[in-house]
Amino acid sequence: MKILVPVKRVIDYNVKPRVKSDGTGVDLANVKMSMNPFDEIAVEEAIRLKEAGTAEEIVAVSIGPAKAQETLRTALAMGADRAILVETDDEVEPLAVAKILKAITDEETPGLVILGKQAIDDDSNQTGQMLAALLGRPQGTFASEVTVEGDSVTVKREVDGGLETVKLAMPAVITTDLRLNEPRYASLPNIMKAKKKPLDTKSPADYGVDTAPRLKTITVGEPPVRQAGIKVEDVDALVAKLKDMGVA
């Protein structure tokens, strides 16, 4: 079985984003970039399935600028076999990403597509669901446990009320949650080997996808500063204070 793993280049989760002075977006100048954490989990899960003998090949895919090659090389160093970069400097919205991934999936015919449930830059949480709909494949979202058995996959998924277990006929689409696994660090020998693994470069036009945006960002701003709290002596003082504030 082949597994396709889409990965995205985002601001490193340890970095506090800064808004541009003109409010047109987030300042990316001299900012550390890395693989989206949820996608790291997806790569790790694909590698574990391969190590268990369930999968034979892992293909990593990224859609973004030329520098996204670094993200793909990280996936290759972790254990992916080859990579595809769909190079574009445009900001690609989830629907366009899903359409490109559908075209790649049609070409590669993987048994599973495993991707992060969302990217930490836009938090859209849409691509996996859109991809499953375009492909007409079953989907297991927010996976905290994945078990492949023959031609089906059982996914334990996190929902508001707790956990839900679904059994999907393959081929299928899975999106990963934080508790699925702990991604490994790429060793230095594997980082060196990754430089020799195949990485193909394509463009959205190669897949016949128009990436023109359907949404327009009006402005981007910092969240409001949270006001400091106050202390009161007892419950009566608390009630009186709430009444003064018009809350109670």
Short mmCIF file of all heavy atoms in Angstrom, two decimals, residues 4-8 10 36 38-39 61-63 92-105 113-142 172-176:
data_model
loop_
_atom_site.label_atom_id
_atom_site.label_comp_id
_atom_site.label_asym_id
_atom_site.label_seq_id
_atom_site.Cartn_x
_atom_site.Cartn_y
_atom_site.Cartn_z
N LEU A 4 -0.07 8.70 0.98
CA LEU A 4 0.22 10.07 0.58
C LEU A 4 0.07 10.96 1.81
O LEU A 4 -0.95 10.90 2.52
CB LEU A 4 -0.75 10.52 -0.51
CG LEU A 4 -0.47 11.87 -1.18
CD1 LEU A 4 0.75 11.76 -2.09
CD2 LEU A 4 -1.67 12.34 -1.98
N VAL A 5 1.10 11.78 2.07
CA VAL A 5 1.08 12.64 3.25
C VAL A 5 1.33 14.10 2.84
O VAL A 5 2.47 14.47 2.56
CB VAL A 5 2.14 12.21 4.29
CG1 VAL A 5 1.99 13.05 5.56
CG2 VAL A 5 2.02 10.74 4.62
N PRO A 6 0.30 14.92 2.79
CA PRO A 6 0.51 16.36 2.52
C PRO A 6 1.08 17.05 3.76
O PRO A 6 0.67 16.78 4.89
CB PRO A 6 -0.91 16.87 2.22
CG PRO A 6 -1.72 15.64 1.92
CD PRO A 6 -1.11 14.56 2.77
N VAL A 7 2.06 17.94 3.54
CA VAL A 7 2.67 18.70 4.64
C VAL A 7 2.72 20.17 4.25
O VAL A 7 2.81 20.51 3.07
CB VAL A 7 4.09 18.19 4.98
CG1 VAL A 7 4.03 16.76 5.46
CG2 VAL A 7 5.02 18.29 3.77
N LYS A 8 2.66 21.05 5.25
CA LYS A 8 2.64 22.48 4.99
C LYS A 8 3.74 23.19 5.75
O LYS A 8 4.04 22.85 6.90
CB LYS A 8 1.28 23.07 5.39
CG LYS A 8 1.11 24.54 5.01
CD LYS A 8 -0.29 25.04 5.36
CE LYS A 8 -0.48 26.48 4.89
NZ LYS A 8 -1.83 27.01 5.26
N VAL A 10 4.89 26.29 7.73
CA VAL A 10 4.23 27.34 8.51
C VAL A 10 5.25 27.97 9.46
O VAL A 10 6.37 27.49 9.61
CB VAL A 10 3.05 26.77 9.34
CG1 VAL A 10 1.99 26.17 8.44
CG2 VAL A 10 3.55 25.72 10.34
N ASN A 36 4.18 22.06 9.72
CA ASN A 36 2.99 22.15 10.55
C ASN A 36 2.96 20.97 11.53
O ASN A 36 3.10 19.81 11.13
CB ASN A 36 1.75 22.14 9.66
CG ASN A 36 0.47 22.19 10.44
OD1 ASN A 36 0.31 23.00 11.34
ND2 ASN A 36 -0.46 21.32 10.09
N PHE A 38 0.70 19.27 13.13
CA PHE A 38 -0.26 18.20 12.84
C PHE A 38 0.21 17.35 11.66
O PHE A 38 -0.06 16.14 11.61
CB PHE A 38 -1.64 18.79 12.55
CG PHE A 38 -2.31 19.39 13.76
CD1 PHE A 38 -2.30 20.76 13.98
CD2 PHE A 38 -2.95 18.59 14.70
CE1 PHE A 38 -2.91 21.32 15.09
CE2 PHE A 38 -3.57 19.13 15.82
CZ PHE A 38 -3.54 20.51 16.01
N ASP A 39 0.92 17.98 10.72
CA ASP A 39 1.44 17.23 9.57
C ASP A 39 2.62 16.35 9.98
O ASP A 39 2.82 15.27 9.43
CB ASP A 39 1.87 18.18 8.45
CG ASP A 39 0.69 18.97 7.89
OD1 ASP A 39 -0.45 18.52 8.07
OD2 ASP A 39 0.92 20.03 7.29
N VAL A 61 3.88 15.43 0.10
CA VAL A 61 3.49 16.46 -0.87
C VAL A 61 3.38 17.79 -0.14
O VAL A 61 2.88 17.86 0.99
CB VAL A 61 2.12 16.14 -1.52
CG1 VAL A 61 1.74 17.23 -2.51
CG2 VAL A 61 2.15 14.80 -2.20
N SER A 62 3.86 18.87 -0.77
CA SER A 62 3.68 20.20 -0.22
C SER A 62 3.30 21.16 -1.34
O SER A 62 3.76 21.01 -2.48
CB SER A 62 4.95 20.69 0.49
OG SER A 62 4.68 21.87 1.23
N ILE A 63 2.47 22.13 -1.01
CA ILE A 63 2.04 23.14 -1.97
C ILE A 63 2.45 24.49 -1.39
O ILE A 63 1.94 24.90 -0.34
CB ILE A 63 0.51 23.08 -2.18
CG1 ILE A 63 0.11 21.69 -2.68
CG2 ILE A 63 0.05 24.16 -3.15
CD1 ILE A 63 -1.37 21.40 -2.59
N VAL A 92 -2.50 29.85 -1.27
CA VAL A 92 -3.47 28.88 -1.80
C VAL A 92 -4.50 28.54 -0.73
O VAL A 92 -4.14 28.12 0.37
CB VAL A 92 -2.75 27.61 -2.29
CG1 VAL A 92 -3.74 26.69 -2.99
CG2 VAL A 92 -1.62 27.96 -3.24
N GLU A 93 -5.76 28.72 -1.07
CA GLU A 93 -6.84 28.46 -0.11
C GLU A 93 -7.14 26.96 -0.04
O GLU A 93 -6.79 26.19 -0.94
CB GLU A 93 -8.08 29.25 -0.53
CG GLU A 93 -7.87 30.76 -0.43
CD GLU A 93 -9.06 31.55 -0.95
OE1 GLU A 93 -10.00 30.93 -1.50
OE2 GLU A 93 -9.05 32.79 -0.83
N PRO A 94 -7.80 26.51 1.04
CA PRO A 94 -8.03 25.07 1.25
C PRO A 94 -8.69 24.35 0.08
O PRO A 94 -8.32 23.21 -0.22
CB PRO A 94 -8.93 25.06 2.49
CG PRO A 94 -8.55 26.28 3.24
CD PRO A 94 -8.24 27.31 2.21
N LEU A 95 -9.66 24.97 -0.59
CA LEU A 95 -10.32 24.29 -1.70
C LEU A 95 -9.36 24.03 -2.84
O LEU A 95 -9.36 22.94 -3.43
CB LEU A 95 -11.52 25.11 -2.20
CG LEU A 95 -12.30 24.49 -3.36
CD1 LEU A 95 -12.82 23.10 -2.99
CD2 LEU A 95 -13.45 25.40 -3.78
N ALA A 96 -8.52 25.02 -3.16
CA ALA A 96 -7.53 24.83 -4.22
C ALA A 96 -6.51 23.76 -3.82
O ALA A 96 -6.10 22.94 -4.66
CB ALA A 96 -6.82 26.14 -4.53
N VAL A 97 -6.11 23.75 -2.55
CA VAL A 97 -5.20 22.71 -2.05
C VAL A 97 -5.84 21.34 -2.23
O VAL A 97 -5.21 20.39 -2.71
CB VAL A 97 -4.84 22.96 -0.57
CG1 VAL A 97 -4.06 21.77 -0.01
CG2 VAL A 97 -4.04 24.23 -0.42
N ALA A 98 -7.11 21.22 -1.86
CA ALA A 98 -7.82 19.94 -1.96
C ALA A 98 -7.91 19.50 -3.42
O ALA A 98 -7.77 18.30 -3.72
CB ALA A 98 -9.21 20.06 -1.34
N LYS A 99 -8.13 20.43 -4.34
CA LYS A 99 -8.22 20.07 -5.76
C LYS A 99 -6.87 19.58 -6.29
O LYS A 99 -6.81 18.61 -7.06
CB LYS A 99 -8.69 21.28 -6.57
CG LYS A 99 -10.16 21.63 -6.36
CD LYS A 99 -10.57 22.82 -7.20
CE LYS A 99 -12.05 23.12 -7.04
NZ LYS A 99 -12.47 24.31 -7.83
N ILE A 100 -5.79 20.23 -5.86
CA ILE A 100 -4.45 19.78 -6.28
C ILE A 100 -4.16 18.40 -5.70
O ILE A 100 -3.66 17.50 -6.40
CB ILE A 100 -3.37 20.79 -5.84
CG1 ILE A 100 -3.54 22.12 -6.60
CG2 ILE A 100 -1.97 20.23 -6.08
CD1 ILE A 100 -2.65 23.23 -6.08
N LEU A 101 -4.50 18.22 -4.43
CA LEU A 101 -4.26 16.91 -3.80
C LEU A 101 -5.11 15.82 -4.45
O LEU A 101 -4.67 14.68 -4.56
CB LEU A 101 -4.56 16.99 -2.30
CG LEU A 101 -3.60 17.86 -1.47
CD1 LEU A 101 -4.06 17.90 -0.02
CD2 LEU A 101 -2.17 17.34 -1.57
N LYS A 102 -6.30 16.17 -4.89
CA LYS A 102 -7.14 15.19 -5.59
C LYS A 102 -6.46 14.74 -6.88
O LYS A 102 -6.41 13.54 -7.19
CB LYS A 102 -8.51 15.77 -5.92
CG LYS A 102 -9.39 14.79 -6.73
CD LYS A 102 -10.66 15.43 -7.23
CE LYS A 102 -11.52 14.40 -7.99
NZ LYS A 102 -10.83 13.82 -9.16
N ALA A 103 -5.91 15.71 -7.63
CA ALA A 103 -5.24 15.36 -8.88
C ALA A 103 -4.02 14.47 -8.61
O ALA A 103 -3.78 13.50 -9.34
CB ALA A 103 -4.82 16.64 -9.61
N ILE A 104 -3.28 14.79 -7.55
CA ILE A 104 -2.11 13.97 -7.21
C ILE A 104 -2.55 12.59 -6.75
O ILE A 104 -1.94 11.57 -7.11
CB ILE A 104 -1.27 14.67 -6.12
CG1 ILE A 104 -0.68 15.97 -6.66
CG2 ILE A 104 -0.15 13.76 -5.63
CD1 ILE A 104 0.04 16.80 -5.62
N THR A 105 -3.62 12.53 -5.98
CA THR A 105 -4.15 11.25 -5.52
C THR A 105 -4.61 10.39 -6.68
O THR A 105 -4.38 9.16 -6.69
CB THR A 105 -5.31 11.47 -4.53
OG1 THR A 105 -4.85 12.26 -3.43
CG2 THR A 105 -5.83 10.15 -3.98
N VAL A 113 -4.64 8.55 2.46
CA VAL A 113 -4.10 9.91 2.50
C VAL A 113 -4.19 10.34 3.96
O VAL A 113 -5.28 10.38 4.54
CB VAL A 113 -4.90 10.88 1.60
CG1 VAL A 113 -4.29 12.29 1.69
CG2 VAL A 113 -4.91 10.41 0.16
N ILE A 114 -3.05 10.62 4.56
CA ILE A 114 -3.01 11.03 5.97
C ILE A 114 -2.47 12.45 6.04
O ILE A 114 -1.36 12.71 5.57
CB ILE A 114 -2.14 10.09 6.82
CG1 ILE A 114 -2.56 8.63 6.64
CG2 ILE A 114 -2.21 10.48 8.28
CD1 ILE A 114 -1.72 7.64 7.42
N LEU A 115 -3.24 13.35 6.61
CA LEU A 115 -2.80 14.74 6.72
C LEU A 115 -3.24 15.32 8.05
O LEU A 115 -4.12 14.79 8.72
CB LEU A 115 -3.36 15.59 5.57
CG LEU A 115 -4.87 15.77 5.43
CD1 LEU A 115 -5.16 16.97 4.51
CD2 LEU A 115 -5.55 14.54 4.84
N GLY A 116 -2.60 16.41 8.45
CA GLY A 116 -2.96 17.05 9.70
C GLY A 116 -4.38 17.61 9.65
O GLY A 116 -4.86 18.01 8.59
N LYS A 117 -5.04 17.63 10.80
CA LYS A 117 -6.44 18.08 10.81
C LYS A 117 -6.55 19.56 10.48
O LYS A 117 -7.58 20.01 9.99
CB LYS A 117 -7.09 17.79 12.16
CG LYS A 117 -6.60 18.67 13.32
CD LYS A 117 -7.46 18.46 14.56
CE LYS A 117 -7.05 19.42 15.68
NZ LYS A 117 -7.90 19.28 16.87
N GLN A 118 -5.48 20.33 10.74
CA GLN A 118 -5.50 21.76 10.43
C GLN A 118 -4.06 22.28 10.43
O GLN A 118 -3.15 21.62 10.92
CB GLN A 118 -6.32 22.53 11.46
CG GLN A 118 -5.73 22.51 12.87
CD GLN A 118 -6.71 22.97 13.92
OE1 GLN A 118 -7.61 22.24 14.31
NE2 GLN A 118 -6.55 24.20 14.38
N ALA A 119 -3.89 23.45 9.83
CA ALA A 119 -2.59 24.12 9.86
C ALA A 119 -2.64 25.22 10.91
O ALA A 119 -3.68 25.88 11.08
CB ALA A 119 -2.25 24.71 8.49
N ILE A 120 -1.54 25.43 11.62
CA ILE A 120 -1.57 26.38 12.74
C ILE A 120 -1.48 27.82 12.27
O ILE A 120 -1.58 28.73 13.09
CB ILE A 120 -0.43 26.08 13.74
CG1 ILE A 120 0.94 26.24 13.07
CG2 ILE A 120 -0.60 24.71 14.36
CD1 ILE A 120 2.10 26.15 14.06
N ASP A 121 -1.31 28.06 10.95
CA ASP A 121 -1.28 29.45 10.49
C ASP A 121 -2.67 30.00 10.22
O ASP A 121 -3.01 31.11 10.61
CB ASP A 121 -0.38 29.61 9.27
CG ASP A 121 -0.74 28.66 8.14
OD1 ASP A 121 -1.67 27.84 8.30
OD2 ASP A 121 -0.07 28.73 7.09
N ASP A 122 -3.54 29.23 9.53
CA ASP A 122 -4.88 29.73 9.25
C ASP A 122 -5.98 29.00 10.02
O ASP A 122 -7.12 29.46 10.08
CB ASP A 122 -5.18 29.68 7.75
CG ASP A 122 -5.06 28.27 7.18
OD1 ASP A 122 -5.06 27.30 7.96
OD2 ASP A 122 -4.97 28.15 5.95
N ASP A 123 -5.64 27.85 10.62
CA ASP A 123 -6.60 27.07 11.43
C ASP A 123 -7.89 26.74 10.67
O ASP A 123 -8.95 26.61 11.27
CB ASP A 123 -6.97 27.83 12.71
CG ASP A 123 -6.00 27.54 13.85
OD1 ASP A 123 -5.32 26.51 13.79
OD2 ASP A 123 -5.90 28.35 14.78
N SER A 124 -7.79 26.57 9.35
CA SER A 124 -9.01 26.36 8.56
C SER A 124 -9.71 25.04 8.87
O SER A 124 -10.93 24.98 8.93
CB SER A 124 -8.69 26.44 7.07
OG SER A 124 -8.36 27.76 6.70
N ASN A 125 -8.92 23.96 9.04
CA ASN A 125 -9.53 22.66 9.32
C ASN A 125 -10.54 22.27 8.25
O ASN A 125 -11.67 21.89 8.54
CB ASN A 125 -10.17 22.68 10.72
CG ASN A 125 -10.62 21.31 11.19
OD1 ASN A 125 -10.48 20.31 10.47
ND2 ASN A 125 -11.18 21.24 12.37
N GLN A 126 -10.13 22.39 6.97
CA GLN A 126 -11.06 22.13 5.87
C GLN A 126 -10.50 21.18 4.82
O GLN A 126 -11.27 20.46 4.17
CB GLN A 126 -11.42 23.45 5.17
CG GLN A 126 -12.15 24.44 6.05
CD GLN A 126 -12.33 25.79 5.38
OE1 GLN A 126 -11.63 26.11 4.41
NE2 GLN A 126 -13.26 26.59 5.87
N THR A 127 -9.19 21.19 4.63
CA THR A 127 -8.60 20.52 3.46
C THR A 127 -8.91 19.03 3.44
O THR A 127 -9.30 18.48 2.41
CB THR A 127 -7.08 20.75 3.43
OG1 THR A 127 -6.82 22.15 3.40
CG2 THR A 127 -6.48 20.11 2.18
N GLY A 128 -8.74 18.34 4.57
CA GLY A 128 -8.98 16.90 4.59
C GLY A 128 -10.40 16.55 4.23
O GLY A 128 -10.66 15.63 3.44
N GLN A 129 -11.36 17.28 4.79
CA GLN A 129 -12.77 17.02 4.51
C GLN A 129 -13.10 17.30 3.05
O GLN A 129 -13.84 16.55 2.40
CB GLN A 129 -13.65 17.87 5.43
CG GLN A 129 -13.56 17.49 6.91
CD GLN A 129 -12.46 18.23 7.66
OE1 GLN A 129 -11.42 18.54 7.10
NE2 GLN A 129 -12.70 18.51 8.93
N MET A 130 -12.57 18.41 2.52
CA MET A 130 -12.81 18.75 1.12
C MET A 130 -12.21 17.70 0.19
O MET A 130 -12.83 17.31 -0.81
CB MET A 130 -12.23 20.13 0.80
CG MET A 130 -12.97 21.29 1.41
SD MET A 130 -12.16 22.85 1.03
CE MET A 130 -13.38 24.03 1.61
N LEU A 131 -11.01 17.24 0.52
CA LEU A 131 -10.35 16.23 -0.31
C LEU A 131 -11.17 14.94 -0.33
O LEU A 131 -11.38 14.35 -1.40
CB LEU A 131 -8.95 15.95 0.23
CG LEU A 131 -8.17 14.84 -0.47
CD1 LEU A 131 -7.97 15.16 -1.95
CD2 LEU A 131 -6.83 14.61 0.20
N ALA A 132 -11.65 14.51 0.83
CA ALA A 132 -12.46 13.28 0.88
C ALA A 132 -13.73 13.44 0.04
O ALA A 132 -14.14 12.50 -0.66
CB ALA A 132 -12.82 12.97 2.33
N ALA A 133 -14.34 14.63 0.09
CA ALA A 133 -15.56 14.86 -0.69
C ALA A 133 -15.26 14.84 -2.18
O ALA A 133 -16.01 14.25 -2.97
CB ALA A 133 -16.17 16.20 -0.28
N LEU A 134 -14.16 15.47 -2.60
CA LEU A 134 -13.81 15.50 -4.02
C LEU A 134 -13.48 14.10 -4.54
O LEU A 134 -13.79 13.76 -5.69
CB LEU A 134 -12.61 16.44 -4.25
CG LEU A 134 -12.87 17.94 -4.04
CD1 LEU A 134 -11.56 18.72 -4.10
CD2 LEU A 134 -13.84 18.47 -5.09
N LEU A 135 -12.84 13.30 -3.69
CA LEU A 135 -12.46 11.95 -4.10
C LEU A 135 -13.62 10.96 -3.97
O LEU A 135 -13.59 9.88 -4.58
CB LEU A 135 -11.30 11.45 -3.23
CG LEU A 135 -9.93 12.10 -3.43
CD1 LEU A 135 -8.98 11.69 -2.32
CD2 LEU A 135 -9.35 11.73 -4.80
N GLY A 136 -14.61 11.31 -3.17
CA GLY A 136 -15.69 10.37 -2.90
C GLY A 136 -15.23 9.22 -2.02
O GLY A 136 -15.74 8.11 -2.12
N ARG A 137 -14.24 9.51 -1.14
CA ARG A 137 -13.69 8.48 -0.26
C ARG A 137 -14.18 8.67 1.17
O ARG A 137 -14.48 9.79 1.59
CB ARG A 137 -12.16 8.53 -0.27
CG ARG A 137 -11.53 8.13 -1.59
CD ARG A 137 -10.02 8.05 -1.45
NE ARG A 137 -9.37 7.60 -2.68
CZ ARG A 137 -8.08 7.33 -2.79
NH1 ARG A 137 -7.29 7.46 -1.73
NH2 ARG A 137 -7.57 6.92 -3.93
N PRO A 138 -14.26 7.60 1.95
CA PRO A 138 -14.61 7.75 3.37
C PRO A 138 -13.51 8.50 4.11
O PRO A 138 -12.33 8.47 3.70
CB PRO A 138 -14.72 6.30 3.86
CG PRO A 138 -13.91 5.50 2.90
CD PRO A 138 -14.03 6.19 1.57
N GLN A 139 -13.89 9.16 5.19
CA GLN A 139 -12.91 9.95 5.95
C GLN A 139 -13.02 9.68 7.44
O GLN A 139 -14.11 9.45 7.97
CB GLN A 139 -13.12 11.44 5.68
CG GLN A 139 -14.51 11.96 6.02
CD GLN A 139 -14.67 13.44 5.76
OE1 GLN A 139 -13.93 14.25 6.30
NE2 GLN A 139 -15.63 13.79 4.91
N GLY A 140 -11.86 9.69 8.09
CA GLY A 140 -11.79 9.59 9.54
C GLY A 140 -11.02 10.79 10.05
O GLY A 140 -9.79 10.84 9.93
N THR A 141 -11.73 11.79 10.58
CA THR A 141 -11.09 13.03 11.00
C THR A 141 -10.74 13.01 12.48
O THR A 141 -11.32 12.25 13.26
CB THR A 141 -12.01 14.23 10.71
OG1 THR A 141 -13.28 14.00 11.35
CG2 THR A 141 -12.25 14.39 9.21
N PHE A 142 -9.77 13.85 12.87
CA PHE A 142 -9.35 14.02 14.27
C PHE A 142 -8.93 12.68 14.88
O PHE A 142 -9.31 12.34 16.00
CB PHE A 142 -10.47 14.64 15.12
CG PHE A 142 -11.20 15.77 14.45
CD1 PHE A 142 -12.57 15.87 14.51
CD2 PHE A 142 -10.50 16.72 13.72
CE1 PHE A 142 -13.25 16.91 13.89
CE2 PHE A 142 -11.17 17.77 13.09
CZ PHE A 142 -12.54 17.86 13.17
N ALA A 172 -9.00 5.59 1.75
CA ALA A 172 -9.67 6.51 2.66
C ALA A 172 -8.77 7.72 2.95
O ALA A 172 -7.59 7.73 2.61
CB ALA A 172 -10.04 5.80 3.96
N VAL A 173 -9.38 8.72 3.59
CA VAL A 173 -8.67 9.94 3.99
C VAL A 173 -8.74 10.05 5.51
O VAL A 173 -9.81 9.89 6.10
CB VAL A 173 -9.30 11.19 3.34
CG1 VAL A 173 -8.60 12.46 3.85
CG2 VAL A 173 -9.23 11.11 1.82
N ILE A 174 -7.59 10.31 6.14
CA ILE A 174 -7.51 10.43 7.60
C ILE A 174 -6.85 11.76 7.95
O ILE A 174 -5.84 12.13 7.34
CB ILE A 174 -6.70 9.26 8.21
CG1 ILE A 174 -7.41 7.94 7.96
CG2 ILE A 174 -6.48 9.47 9.70
CD1 ILE A 174 -6.60 6.72 8.37
N THR A 175 -7.43 12.47 8.93
CA THR A 175 -6.76 13.66 9.45
C THR A 175 -6.37 13.40 10.90
O THR A 175 -7.09 12.76 11.65
CB THR A 175 -7.65 14.91 9.36
OG1 THR A 175 -8.73 14.82 10.29
CG2 THR A 175 -8.21 15.08 7.96
N THR A 176 -5.20 13.89 11.29
CA THR A 176 -4.60 13.52 12.57
C THR A 176 -4.83 14.56 13.65
O THR A 176 -4.80 15.77 13.40
CB THR A 176 -3.08 13.32 12.40
OG1 THR A 176 -2.49 14.56 11.97
CG2 THR A 176 -2.79 12.26 11.38
#
